[in-house]
Every structure is written in structure tokens, then in C-alpha cells.
Amino acid sequence: MKQLALVIDLNVCVGCHACVTSCKEWNTSGTAGSMSDFNPYEEDPTGTFFNRVQTFEIGEYPNTETVHFPKSCLHCEEPPCVPVCPTGASYKRKEDGIVLVDYDKCIGCKYCSWACPYGARELDEEQKVMKKCTLCVDRIYDETLPEAERKPACVLACPTSARLFGDVKDPDSPVSETIRENGGYQLMPEWGTKPANHYLPRRKIKMTIHKDELTRVDNPLNKERQLPMPGDDEQTLDDIMSW
Amino acid sequence: MHPAFSVIFLTTLIGAGQGLFLALYTGQLYSVFNLVPGQDSHTFYGYGSLLALIFLAMGLLASFFHLGHPERAWRSAAMWRTSWLSREVIVLPSFMGMTFLYGLTHYLGFNPVLFTISDVFVVNLTLLLGFLATGLAFLLFLCTAMIYACVKFLQEWATPLTVLNYTLLGAASGFTLATVFASYAGIQLVSFYAGWAIILTSLAFISRIASLIRNSLIKPKSTMTSAIGIRHTKIQQKSRGFMAGSFNTREYFHNASAVLFRSIKWIFPILVFVLPIMILSSSTGTSSFALFALAFIIQYTGLLAERWFFFAQANHPQNLYYQTI
Ligand code: SF4
Ligand code: SF4
């Protein structure tokens, strides 16, 4: 079984919204489009988006950390939005686990959006059908594109590579590996939706090195001895060369 | 959640229609056992069913205003295996059809005896049709309520009390409507229906208050921590990612002021339960059409407020992601 998904590294995301704009750009001109906007330059603008980047502050001033948090459909393995759909317009693909909406069948009843705990679905107010992230299904299989570009638009746009794309059911895929090794987790696990998208937590990137870790005190075979040992105030080759 | 008027009218109108039908059939059953005087098929059951159908049709009409593509509504019968909404879409017209047949056979006086049970209980056509329609009426209450009760993370809705409330509130308003109808038709069943309306309204009162108490004690299962997966007690949203409005900021928030929200919580029980019970009980014995009609109008207005509150009170976990601009 295959389950395509995104893995989003919160340790790396800088909150630049490049994924938001590239998603909108690709999908408004793709098969999911157009993603309508209303009053874009006036008072009270509104529009359809598949992906948003939000910002949270953790802790209490001055000891805070800022976390940028991209959010889109998580392509749940047990998607509660699918069984509630009365028309069958919402479905989960067997072959790759992508959750999609058939825009020709959708009656715009909004029931599926109520049944998504993450608020990942948006009704397109112009076409009056439900829309959501498609994992760029219209480009990841497009053989006219070079292989390196057969990825969701957001993944390609991310300047910090905070977004990884792959099959989370294949234990040897890079996404599965990073989920395993970097503490990848799912959102709102309490509802049993089993989101396919995972997030990687913040990690400490500071390292403390003590002096005795640089020179070994016990050097039984005298292997690391330099003769003659330079004094602490003397120049070494490193000081000259490290430009 | 944002209360949509289409759904408020849909659920309250069909509830009253279902309740009215149940009232008519209860009257017929009682008269079969000679507990109440039998009524004229033509004027009472015929026109009564018509009135129920009018309410059901108005509800059905209201539901179309909820859809982005009403012309595709027929598609929504497809997924009855998994979707309560789809089930409702099937059961509502079936119930309307059965009510129509029930009313029509009564109206035409076409009521052949079908069979007898143990040589005493005579089952004729209208009795059988009414029996089937009663089953469908209860099934429809179940479907309508389960649309809400099955969404488990809308914790205010995910309780058997939702089903009980929809059933009792629909039945109560339907029996009040039947009282109005009986007093208009000038028949002896007025106090019979008024009595049942009082009983059902009181039962609905108990179960609705129970659900209000339950909902006030709810501890949300989803928290900021589970929403973004960061383990810390102090998490504050600084930006939801956009300044403009979006579907997420419109569909899941009721946007009413706290004062309005709280006052509706107190107003609807008065309108739905207290006043109608007072009017119904003070005017039993009389058969003042105007008073009963007033009771129904007050109760129905109250039900609109009740349904508004039902939606507004439900707190969707997605709101955790939209706390600040
Ligand atoms: S994130 Fe929401 S819309 Fe996407 S699959 Fe899960 S429940 Fe459905
Ligand atoms: S809005 Fe469309 S996709 Fe969603 S439940 Fe209704 S018909 Fe299905």
C-alpha cells in the first residue's frame, strides 16, 4: 500500500509563505482551479487557499520561541471527511492515499468541511464546490515534467527544504526515515484520523563542548602526542590557515 | 459553528411535519381502540396529512438553499451506506410519499380491510400505511439527528441526547400543531392533543436541559498542544496566516456577541417550553383556535432560536487554528 504525504519540518520552516503563494499559483491555473478570490484589492477581501502558514509563540516573554506552522489537508488514513459525503464526491484514492474531491459531483453541502477537525477544506464561493489540497496530483504524475519536478508545488518552492514529499508507507523512503529518526508526529491524534502528513518537532541545535573532549587526558599509547607541544599562547598552523 | 438559516428551517419544519403526522396517526390508533371518538377521514386525516406535507415540503425547499449546486441534489442519495446525510435524503422523500398515500387513502375514503389479527384487530389500508409512515418518521428523526451526532469531534453534538432532542422537539411542536388543527377543524380531539403536546413538551424540556447541562461540562479533547503538536502550556497564536476573511473564519464561528449568545440560551427554553405549556394547559377545556395558534407560533419561533443555539454552541476544533489575525 502506498500513502503519499508531506513531512513538514517545524525546525526549519521560516514562515516565508512561499509554499502558500506557489500552491495558489499552481492550483489556480491547474485542474483544481481557479481558486476564486473576491474583493482582492478592496475592503474585506477573501479567497480560496489550500495551504496556510500560521505563527505561534511558545512560552512566556522573554523566553519565547516562534514556531511557523504550515497547515493543509493531511490526507488522513482514516479521513472522517470521506464517509460523510452524501454524493461520493469526496474520496480517498486506493493507489496512493490522496484524498480528493470530484468537482463535478460535489453539491456544495459543506458537510465534509464540518467533518474535518483540521479545517483543511474550503468551499470555493464561485464554483460552489468543496476544495482542498490535492498534493498536486496533476503534477506529481506528469511525465512531461523532469523527474525532479514531479513534486507538489509547495515542496519545490520551499527555500529551506522544510517540506518533504514521499510515501510514508514505504519504510525505506526518506520521509519514513526522517519520521522515525526525528520524532515525526501527527496532529490531533485524539480523533483517530491518522493523518498521513507528519510534522517534525523543534530540535535543540546547540552543542556544548568541554575542554577535555578536545584533548584526551589519558593517551595510553602516546598516539596523539605532538612534539613539541605548542604553548597555549603560541600560534598554530590552524590560526594561520583558517581564513 | 455558524448557524445556517437553511438548515435551521429545514430541521424545525420537517420536525413539526413529522410530529403532526405522528399526532394524526396517534389519534387514529386511539380511535381504533375506541379511546377517543373517530374522526372524519376526509376532512381530518386528509387535510391533516396535507398540512404535514406542506411543512415537510417547506423544509425540503429550505434545504436546497443550503446547497451550492441544488441541481445536483439527486446525487446525494448515493452514499447511504456511510453517510447519514445521504440516508436523510432518501428517508425524507420516502416519508413524504408515505404520508401522501396515507392522506390520499383517507381523503378518498379508500380503506379496505387487509387482514385481521387473532380475529379481533382489524388492519385496514390506512392503518398499515400509517404504521409504515410512523416507522419512516422515526427513522427520519434518527437520520437528521445523526448527521450532527456522528461528528465525534463536535463534542456538543456527539451524544445520544441529540437524537432524543430532535425526536422530542419535533414531536412536541407537531402535537402543538395538531392541537391548533383540531381546534380549527372543530373536533373533540383538542384536549387530547393539547394533553399530549404538554407531555411531549415537558419531556423535551427535560432532555434539552440535560443536554445544556452536559454541554456546559464538556472538556474539549483537542487543545493547542494537540493541534500543533508542541508540548507546552503557553502557546499563543500570533498570526493565522492571513488578514482577510476565509471559509474557515466564516463557517465555524457564530460571530454573535457574547451577550446575544447568552440571552438566546435563556430565551429559547422560555419560548419552546415554558410559554407553550402555560398556554396549552390554561386553555384546555376551551378550544380557542387563536390561543393554540399563538402557542404554536411561540413554540416554533422558540425552536428557531433553539436550533440557532444548537449550531452556535458547537465548538469546532479547527477554531484553535483561527484565534487571532
Ligand atoms: S485533513 Fe481534513 S480534509 Fe484532509 S483528509 Fe484529513 S479530515 Fe479529510
Ligand atoms: S460539500 Fe461536496 S464533497 Fe463535501 S460532503 Fe458535500 S457533496 Fe461531498
Side-chain angles (χ1 to χ4, degrees):
Chain A
M1 217 185 82
K2 193 172 166 188
Q3 172 68 64
L4 294 179
L6 296 171
V7 173
I8 295 169
D9 193 343
L10 297 184
N11 200 43
V12 174
C13 175
V14 292
C16 70
H17 292 250
C19 53
V20 179
T21 48
S22 65
C23 165
K24 177 101 175 176
E25 191 276 329
W26 173 263
N27 284 301
T28 203
S29 26
T31 54
S34 61
M35 291 156 74
S36 56
D37 289 321
F38 292 88
N39 311 327
Y41 304 109
E42 286 138 59
E43 206 183 330
D44 205 16
T46 180
T48 317
F49 284 78
F50 294 169
N51 179 32
R52 297 288 198 180
V53 178
Q54 310 189 314
T55 303
F56 294 88
E57 189 177 84
I58 321 291
E60 212 162 348
Y61 182 82
N63 296 318
T64 58
E65 239 182 84
T66 302
V67 173
H68 301 293
F69 176 82
K71 176 172 89 80
S72 56
C73 169
L74 309 168
H75 298 279
C76 302
E77 284 179 47
E78 301 286 343
C81 55
V82 168
V84 301
C85 173
T87 62
S90 275
Y91 62 104
K92 184 171 178 71
R93 307 216 307 180
K94 287 225 165 52
E95 62 269 34
D96 54 14
I98 301 182
V99 176
L100 289 175
V101 180
D102 183 336
Y103 306 130
D104 293 330
K105 276 193 192 163
C106 174
I107 56 171
C109 68
K110 307 186 211 163
Y111 192 24
C112 55
S113 70
W114 297 5
C116 165
Y118 310 98
R121 294 175 162 245
E122 297 191 19
L123 188 85
D124 187 305
E125 297 287 354
E126 194 174 296
Q127 295 175 18
K128 301 282 182 201
V129 293
M130 199 47 78
K131 296 202 171 167
K132 58 179 275 303
C133 161
T134 66
L135 271 185
C136 286
V137 71
D138 52 348
R139 69 174 295 149
I140 55 178
Y141 294 113
D142 186 349
E143 285 177 6
T144 60
L145 292 172
E147 190 152 2
E149 281 178 32
R150 289 181 213 157
K151 285 179 180 174
C154 58
V155 174
L156 294 171
C158 180
T160 59
S161 303
R163 305 175 76 93
L164 311 173
F165 170 67
D167 178 5
V168 290
K169 277 284 148 82
D170 171 5
D172 300 324
S173 68
V175 280
S176 301
E177 202 178 293
T178 186
I179 290 171
R180 256 195 326 270
E181 289 174 5
N182 293 320
Y185 63 86
Q186 297 165 316
L187 304 182
M188 294 189 189
E190 62 271 22
W191 302 118
T193 54
K194 297 206 208 138
N197 283 11
H198 282 67
Y199 286 78
L200 303 181
R202 282 306 184 84
R203 296 182 286 282
K204 291 270 174 270
I205 47 168
K206 262 195 301 195
M207 199 172 149
T208 316
I209 300 169
H210 297 286
K211 209 165 182 188
D212 56 347
E213 287 166 334
L214 282 177
T215 35
R216 282 210 278 167
V217 222
D218 53 339
N219 188 10
L221 298 175
N222 284 343
K223 284 247 164 96
E224 290 169 7
R225 167 178 292 177
Q226 284 183 335
L227 283 175
M229 289 276 270
D232 276 350
D233 50 348
E234 272 174 59
Q235 250 187 0
T236 65
L237 194 60
D238 273 355
D239 292 331
I240 300 161
M241 297 298 286
S242 60
W243 43 272
Chain B
M1 299 294 292
H2 174 74
F5 272 95
S6 47
V7 182
I8 294 181
F9 278 110
L10 161 71
T11 54
T12 49
L13 285 169
I14 64 171
Q18 286 159 268
L20 176 58
F21 168 78
L22 291 177
L24 295 175
Y25 192 60
T26 311
Q28 186 179 0
L29 274 185
Y30 269 63
S31 66
V32 166
F33 292 103
N34 289 325
L35 297 170
V36 298
Q39 297 308 321
D40 182 42
S41 261
H42 185 80
T43 51
F44 187 70
Y45 294 113
Y47 287 118
S49 304
L50 181 66
L51 185 61
L53 276 174
I54 290 173
F55 270 82
L56 294 166
M58 287 195 300
L60 188 61
L61 183 71
S63 75
F64 280 96
F65 287 94
H66 188 69
L67 303 183
H69 282 280
E71 78 284 1
R72 297 179 187 163
W74 58 274
R75 287 188 180 275
S76 58
M79 302 308 275
W80 54 272
R81 281 185 199 81
T82 58
S83 168
W84 282 103
L85 179 52
S86 189
R87 289 170 199 161
E88 187 193 37
V89 165
I90 294 170
V91 175
L92 175 56
S94 318
F95 172 62
M96 288 176 73
M98 200 58 82
T99 308
F100 175 74
L101 287 181
Y102 175 78
L104 189 71
T105 46
H106 265 304
Y107 184 80
L108 299 175
F110 177 68
N111 198 13
V113 173
L114 296 177
F115 51 90
T116 46
I117 298 172
S118 341
D119 293 337
V120 246
F121 190 65
V122 183
V123 178
N124 47 34
L125 184 60
T126 54
L127 208 59
L128 182 72
L129 289 175
F131 178 75
L132 295 176
T134 303
L136 288 170
F138 280 108
L139 205 56
L140 183 53
F141 278 130
L142 181 71
C143 293
T144 311
M146 280 309 287
I147 290 175
Y148 309 104
C150 78
V151 185
K152 57 186 171 187
F153 41 81
L154 282 163
Q155 288 171 266
E156 286 82 356
W157 294 353
T159 154
L161 280 175
T162 303
V163 180
L164 194 61
N165 284 331
Y166 269 77
T167 310
L168 287 174
L169 289 167
S173 62
F175 272 78
T176 312
L177 186 58
T179 317
V180 183
F181 180 60
S183 71
Y184 177 77
I187 56 162
Q188 309 94 310
L189 291 187
V190 175
S191 52
F192 168 71
Y193 282 135
W196 270 113
I198 292 171
I199 294 173
L200 288 167
T201 307
S202 314
L203 289 177
F205 189 39
I206 296 171
S207 88
R208 191 64 178 96
I209 296 300
S211 78
L212 282 181
I213 294 172
R214 171 194 178 269
N215 288 354
S216 68
L217 300 175
I218 282 180
K219 193 169 160 284
K221 266 201 199 167
S222 286
T223 58
M224 233 29 262
T225 302
S226 76
I228 65 171
I230 290 174
R231 275 180 213 88
H232 201 285
T233 47
K234 289 238 157 37
I235 302 178
Q236 224 192 348
Q237 187 168 40
K238 287 291 166 190
S239 157
R240 68 178 182 216
F242 53 98
M243 290 162 76
S246 79
F247 182 73
N248 302 72
T249 60
R250 286 188 299 268
E251 183 70 9
Y252 305 91
F253 294 89
H254 58 75
N255 289 331
S257 67
V259 181
L260 180 69
F261 181 77
R262 248 180 289 122
S263 27
I264 290 190
K265 182 178 183 173
W266 287 102
I267 290 169
F268 89 72
I270 298 178
L271 294 180
V272 178
F273 308 112
V274 181
L275 290 178
I277 290 180
M278 274 166 54
I279 300 177
L280 286 169
S281 51
S282 67
S283 38
T284 39
T286 74
S287 56
S288 156
F289 170 71
L291 265 184
F292 290 126
L294 181 70
F296 177 73
I297 290 169
I298 291 178
Q299 189 168 47
Y300 185 74
T301 314
L303 277 176
L304 295 178
E306 187 273 337
R307 226 30 62 89
W308 184 92
F309 190 80
F310 173 78
F311 286 103
Q313 196 186 28
N315 193 13
H316 200 287
Q318 80 104 35
N319 293 1
L320 289 168
Y321 298 110
Y322 297 90
Q323 295 176 50
T324 189
I325 290 178

